[in-house]
Amino acid sequence: MIRLAIQKSGRLSEDSLNLIRECGISFINSSLKLKTEATNFPLEILFLRDDDIPGYVADGVADIGIVGENVLVETANQDLVVEKLGFSKCRLSIAVPKSVAYESIHDLENKNLATSYPRLLQAYLDEHGVKAHIHTISGSVEIAPSIGLADAICDIVSSGSTLISNGLREVERVFKSEAVLIAGPTLSAEKKQLLDQLLFRIQSVKRAQKVKYILLNAPNHAINTIKALLPGMKSPSILPLADEGWSSVHSVVNEDDFWEIIQKLREAGAQGILVVPIEKMIL
Ligand code: PRT
Ligand code: ZN
């Protein structure tokens, strides 16, 4: 049995639960419960506050966990990272009131900064040789300048709309973050094996999220051009169509350069292009 700690309720919760489900692991989830057991994998899930997850994993109360890198690094537990998970992407940024002139980080010299991330902020200030006063507060950081508590703030930004609605302007990006899978430093051999199995599933799910399955018809004279555009996992599958001189091509295509490739395929003579999501991708 391996114990996984995830956030009970917050921005990480839904994506963490979805990832476990996409790994084919079933469990009964009740928002009132503090823990649950999977029905088809030796996994117990603990529901905790995100801030407590790194400490619980470091101490062995939980074996593994899912948490934002911002919280992990702030609690000095970055050594526990096993895999980046690609969701809950955000950044930790410094912002100043938009009426204040700002040229460079040196404008923060001797200023008062409010944040919930004193360690990350201090490291960034030290790196730039700036001395400022850090006030650690646990929430509503964005209102600190308007109530006279601070000259600037350092807080998590995602869309940027919270900063705008509080009359603030993002001026420095301190840290980039996403959800990560973490593991304790002293897992037993049995738990390590379960972690490896889980990691294999997570990587297959993650890989599949980045690619699409593509099927198309093409005249045989265009096949070489199309093969070069669609390298696939090994190479594309090419099957003859009932119509003489035509083939069906099956391959995978990367989400990032998807539209560019579709355009080139059409120019090469491809027709009837079908694009289908992939659930899992095992190499
Ligand atoms: O109760 P618990 O302690 O478990 O939860 P929490 O309130 O401390 O954390 P939660 O659920 O807000 O965030 C969990 C994690 O999600 C964070 O540690 C980050 O890794 C990640 N994350 C991603 C974010 C955001 N996006 C985010 N936008 N965490 C917080 N925010 C907040 C930010 O603090 C600010 O108030 O959203 C506001 C900014 O959002 P935008 O879109 O207006 O820029
Ligand atoms: Zn928290």
Side-chain angles (χ1 to χ4, degrees):
M1 177 76 79
I2 191 163
R3 283 183 135 188
L4 166 71
I6 64 167
Q7 191 187 24
K8 181 165 169 47
S9 128
R11 288 186 162 85
L12 295 162
S13 309
E14 203 180 312
D15 285 337
S16 303
L17 289 172
N18 283 343
L19 179 65
I20 301 165
R21 286 197 190 96
E22 282 165 5
C23 288
I25 298 174
S26 310
F27 51 90
I28 296 163
N29 180 29
S30 146
S31 57
L32 298 173
K33 272 194 165 179
L34 293 178
K35 60 180 185 174
T36 189
E37 221 173 276
T39 51
N40 58 354
F41 194 88
L43 175 80
E44 187 174 42
I45 304 171
L46 305 183
F47 299 98
L48 301 170
R49 282 201 59 190
D50 69 340
D51 315 73
D52 296 333
I53 293 175
Y56 278 23
V57 170
D59 295 346
V61 177
D63 303 310
I64 55 177
I66 295 177
V67 70
E69 278 175 300
N70 48 316
V71 170
L72 196 68
V73 177
E74 185 60 34
T75 54
N77 282 303
Q78 56 270 39
D79 296 351
L80 306 179
V81 175
V82 174
E83 179 84 5
K84 294 199 177 209
L85 298 175
F87 61 82
S88 288
K89 287 191 175 169
C90 58
R91 54 195 187 270
L92 182 69
S93 293
I94 298 175
V96 298
K98 64 173 189 286
S99 53
V100 170
Y102 185 93
E103 293 278 312
S104 80
I105 180 111
H106 298 285
D107 294 346
L108 298 176
E109 193 73 41
N110 285 322
K111 292 278 166 32
N112 293 313
L113 275 74
T115 189
S116 307
Y117 295 89
R119 181 188 289 262
L120 277 162
L121 175 57
Q122 188 66 62
Y124 188 78
L125 293 175
D126 289 349
E127 193 186 309
H128 291 87
V130 172
K131 290 212 172 3
H133 311 288
I134 299 179
H135 296 266
T136 306
I137 55 177
S138 60
S140 305
V141 174
E142 64 280 357
I143 62 164
S146 65
I147 59 170
L149 185 73
D151 303 300
I153 65 157
C154 177
D155 199 11
I156 299 290
V157 180
S158 159
S159 66
S161 60
T162 303
L163 293 184
I164 292 171
S165 59
N166 284 281
L168 298 168
R169 177 163 63 103
E170 187 176 0
V171 291
E172 302 282 337
R173 294 190 175 186
V174 172
F175 187 75
K176 251 176 70 183
S177 177
E178 65 184 83
V180 285
L181 178 73
I182 58 173
T186 54
L187 295 188
S188 66
E190 182 220 359
K191 288 182 193 240
K192 267 202 188 109
Q193 207 186 0
L194 290 172
L195 171 60
D196 282 347
Q197 284 178 31
L198 192 63
L199 198 56
F200 177 77
R201 294 189 190 191
I202 289 175
Q203 286 166 346
S204 305
V205 170
K206 267 179 57 187
R207 220 176 275 128
Q209 284 166 349
K210 287 197 206 124
V211 289
K212 301 264 186 262
Y213 192 73
I214 181 164
L215 303 93
L216 58 89
N217 296 329
N220 287 346
H221 63 79
I223 290 295
N224 279 341
T225 317
I226 288 175
K227 255 170 78 176
L229 289 169
L230 291 175
M233 285 171 77
K234 226 184 195 116
S235 67
S237 313
I238 300 176
L239 312 159
L241 286 187
D243 272 4
E244 190 115 345
W246 282 78
S247 297
S248 166
V249 180
H250 298 206
S251 190
V252 292
V253 60
N254 244 318
E255 181 95 321
D256 292 342
D257 30 49
F258 175 77
W259 287 110
E260 200 184 321
I261 289 183
I262 294 286
Q263 182 63 28
K264 288 185 179 154
L265 289 170
R266 293 185 65 212
E267 283 163 13
Q271 294 179 6
I273 304 173
L274 292 181
V275 180
V276 200
I278 299 174
E279 197 174 300
K280 312 275 187 311
M281 189 162 164
I282 322 274
L283 291 181

